[in-house]
Structures are given as C-alpha cells and as structure tokens.
C-alpha cells in the first residue's frame, strides 16, 4: 500500500500546483488570456497527469500493489469530482469547447485558443508524468517506467466497434452535461463524476474510455498497435460525432449551423384565453337602461 500512498500524495501535489497556476494567471493576466489559455492549460495539465497515474494504478495495482479495482474506481470518482470542482470554468476537453462554439457561447478565435491550450497542457502533463515515473519512487513506478516505452494501443476491439464505443461514451457524457450544466455545482459535480466513473468501468476494457481527444492524444497516440488514422477515427471523430448527436437530441438543432428546430415543435409562449360558454335563460337576461338612467321596469302611469 506504500505505492498507493505515494500516488495519493502525487494527486494532491498536482491539484495544488494547478490551483497556484490558476491563482497566478488570474492575478497577472487579462481576463481573456486567463479564460482562453491559462485555465485550459492548467485544467488539461491536471487532468492528464491524474489520468496517467490512475491508469498506472489500474493496470499494475491489482497484481503488484495489493489493491483491487474497487479502490481504483473510488479514486476515479473522487478525482473526477475534485477535477470538476476546481476547473474554474475551463472544460479541458476539445469536444466541450466545440460544443460551446456551436451553442454560440464562444467565438471562433477563443475556441481555437482553447484547443491549442488544451493540447499543450495535455502534452506537458504527459511529459512531466513520465519524468516523474523515471524517478522510480515505488515498485509500481519502477514497473511502469520499464513498460512505458513499449506501450500498446488502448484499442482492444475492432475499429468500427471502438469508434462506436468512444462515440457512445461522448454522447452520454455530453447529454448529461447539457442537462446539468446550469445546475448548482453541488449536484452537477457528483453527477458528472459518477458518469465518468460508470463509462470508464464499462468501456475501459475496449478503448480506455477517454472520450477526450486531447487526453487520448497525449496518452495513447504514441503507442504501437494502431495507426495514426485509426487513433483519429476512434478518439477524435468518434467523440465529435457523439457530441453532435447529443447536442442535436437535446436542442433539436445546432444554433451555429441552423436555427430551425428539426426534432421538436415550437410552442407559443402566449396562451389564448378560451371563451366561457354559459347557458342563459330568457328570464335571466339583463335589461338595458334607457337614456336618462331609467330602466324598462319603471311603472307607467
């Protein structure tokens, strides 16, 4: 269990360093630069390092560390919750940034800057994590540093099935994200953390369940066993198609491309009051008054 304790300390260190980066960037940089570059870089850096260390525990821990899959899944849920609560508005996921662009919530320049920052952050996080493994602080890290150069592809099924799996994970993730994105963080963060944990448990054996193109690029594109185009189809086109399907199902349209709702009919916001029909008896009809204020019921001389 010493290796697990070192990994937990590593997670705390990563989150602490990234929080300092966010605080410094907010103090020193302009709001636009902080929002498009610094936050996305810190979020992707944090996500990539945590994911690589957790995948190491998942692969080596059961037969070398003395702990089972339940421990790793519990760590995954907690890390996903902490990650979601500490992002400070960043997405750290290219498909989420593209979704915001399609929802008219972000400009083209801001979206391109976010994608660039996410790629650099994930790549830097992967390089720093591998450097950390080379220090061989525990037996788990020693084994990981030995097998890291000879890593194999995370695609363990046929190519169409793998693309379908990643697309389905992205579809479910984005559908839940669209549903809870305006909710209070007390409900949004656990819901997304539980979704990530469930998808990783069910789809992990087939593709690794990344459904994040930047994260997949930094962690598995360099591994042998699949071509670059295979990786693009599974880890880029699959999640992108899942995001578009979720957005179209939730919204009925894609605001950036067309305004017409293709799936749901638009109901009017204003209700037309219905006329009340009342049965009237001849004897109950009101009698009109004459000019001068006298009614027809006045007695005549």
């Amino acid at each position: 269990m010493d290796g697990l304790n070192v990994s937990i300390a590593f997670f705390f260190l990563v989150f602490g360093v990234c929080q300092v980066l966010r605080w410094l960037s907010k103090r020193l940089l302009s709001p636009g630069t902080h929002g498009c570059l610094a936050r996305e870089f810190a979020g992707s850096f944090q996500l990539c390092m945590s994911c690589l260390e957790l995948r190491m525990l998942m692969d080596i821990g059961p037969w070398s560390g003395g702990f089972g899959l339940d421990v790793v899944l519990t760590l995954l849920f907690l890390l996903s919750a902490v990650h979601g609560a500490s992002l400070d508005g960043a997405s750290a996921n290219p498909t989420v940034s593209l979704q915001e662009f399609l929802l008219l919530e972000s400009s083209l320049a801001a979206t391109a800057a976010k994608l660039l920052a996410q790629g650099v952050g994930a790549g830097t996080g992967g390089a720093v994590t591998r450097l950390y493994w080379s220090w061989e602080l525990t037996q788990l890290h020693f084994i990981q540093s030995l097998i890291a150069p000879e890593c194999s592809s995370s695609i363990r099924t046929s190519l169409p099935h793998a693309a379908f799996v990643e697309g389905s994970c992205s579809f479910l993730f984005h559908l839940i994200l669209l549903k809870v994105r305006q909710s209070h963080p007390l409900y949004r963060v656990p819901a997304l953390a539980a979704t990530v944990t469930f998808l990783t448990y069910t789809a992990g054996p087939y593709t690794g369940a990344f459904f994040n193109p930047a994260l997949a690029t930094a962690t598995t594109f360099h591994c042998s066993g699949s071509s670059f185009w295979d990786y693009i189809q599974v880890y880029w086109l699959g999640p992108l198609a899942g995001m578009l399907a979720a957005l179209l199902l939730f919204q009925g349209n894609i605001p950036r491309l067309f305004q017409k709702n293709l799936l749901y009919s638009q109901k009017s916001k204003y209700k037309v009051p219905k006329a009340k029909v009342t049965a009237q008896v001849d004897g109950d009809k009101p009698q009109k008054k004459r000019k001068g204020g006298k009614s027809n019921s006045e007695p005549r001389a």
Side-chain angles (χ1 to χ4, degrees):
M1 298 295 288
D2 291 339
L4 181 61
N5 294 332
V6 172
S7 294
I8 293 176
F10 172 77
F11 294 138
F12 277 109
L13 179 63
V14 169
F15 285 124
V17 170
C18 291
Q19 283 297 97
V20 171
L21 287 176
R22 295 186 186 97
W23 181 80
L24 288 176
S25 65
K26 188 178 293 186
R27 293 288 299 271
L28 302 177
L29 302 178
S30 64
T33 305
H34 168 71
C36 295
L37 295 176
R39 285 192 308 185
E40 294 294 342
F41 174 86
S44 297
F45 181 79
Q46 170 182 299
L47 179 62
C48 184
M49 295 187 72
S50 302
C51 177
L52 283 173
E53 184 73 4
L54 191 62
R55 286 175 64 85
M56 183 271 297
L57 294 178
M58 188 178 295
D59 294 337
I60 304 176
W63 56 272
S64 180
F67 50 87
L69 185 61
D70 55 340
V71 175
V72 179
L73 290 177
T74 302
L75 278 175
L76 174 60
F77 175 80
L78 295 176
L79 289 173
S80 299
V82 173
H83 180 74
S86 63
L87 282 181
D88 191 26
S91 64
N93 189 332
T95 58
V96 177
S97 297
L98 290 173
Q99 174 185 279
E100 294 172 352
F101 172 73
L102 295 175
L103 287 172
L104 305 177
E105 297 175 354
S106 179
S107 65
L108 179 61
T111 302
K114 290 178 180 179
L115 296 179
L116 177 62
Q118 289 163 2
V120 174
T124 306
V128 173
T129 305
R130 294 182 183 93
L131 175 63
Y132 159 72
W133 286 342
S134 67
W135 296 343
E136 301 177 359
L137 300 179
T138 67
Q139 183 180 5
L140 298 176
H141 295 142
F142 171 73
I143 297 173
Q144 179 63 33
S145 63
L146 290 177
I147 65 177
E150 304 298 330
C151 67
S152 58
S153 171
S154 297
I155 302 175
R156 304 182 185 94
T157 183
S158 63
L159 193 63
H161 185 225
F164 175 77
V165 168
E166 284 291 311
S168 300
C169 290
S170 178
F171 172 78
L172 183 58
F173 174 77
H174 282 276
L175 199 60
I176 295 177
L177 176 63
L178 288 166
K179 182 67 176 178
V180 303
R181 63 200 300 260
Q182 301 297 336
S183 303
H184 192 276
L186 186 63
Y187 307 105
R188 183 181 69 250
V189 171
L192 293 177
T195 302
V196 170
T197 304
F198 170 75
L199 293 177
T200 302
Y201 174 73
T202 55
Y206 302 104
T207 62
F210 291 100
F211 50 93
N212 183 328
L215 183 62
T217 302
T219 57
T220 195
F221 269 42
H222 64 281
C223 295
S224 60
S226 298
S227 66
F228 180 77
W229 176 240
D230 292 342
Y231 286 131
I232 291 293
Q233 292 181 75
V234 174
Y235 295 117
W236 276 89
L237 299 183
L240 183 60
M243 180 272 291
L244 291 174
L247 182 59
L248 186 60
L249 180 63
F250 187 83
Q251 290 277 127
N253 68 334
I254 299 179
R256 178 69 67 175
L257 303 181
F258 46 84
Q259 296 294 328
K260 183 179 179 181
N261 198 307
L262 302 179
L263 300 181
Y264 311 113
S265 60
Q266 297 291 331
K267 295 183 179 180
S268 176
K269 297 181 180 179
Y270 306 100
K271 294 183 179 180
V272 179
K274 296 181 179 179
K276 295 183 178 180
V277 180
T278 57
Q280 294 181 343
V281 183
D282 292 339
D284 296 337
K285 291 182 179 179
Q287 296 179 348
K288 297 182 179 179
K289 292 184 178 180
R290 295 178 181 177
K291 293 183 179 180
K294 296 181 180 180
S295 65
N296 293 334
S297 60
E298 290 182 351
R300 297 181 179 179

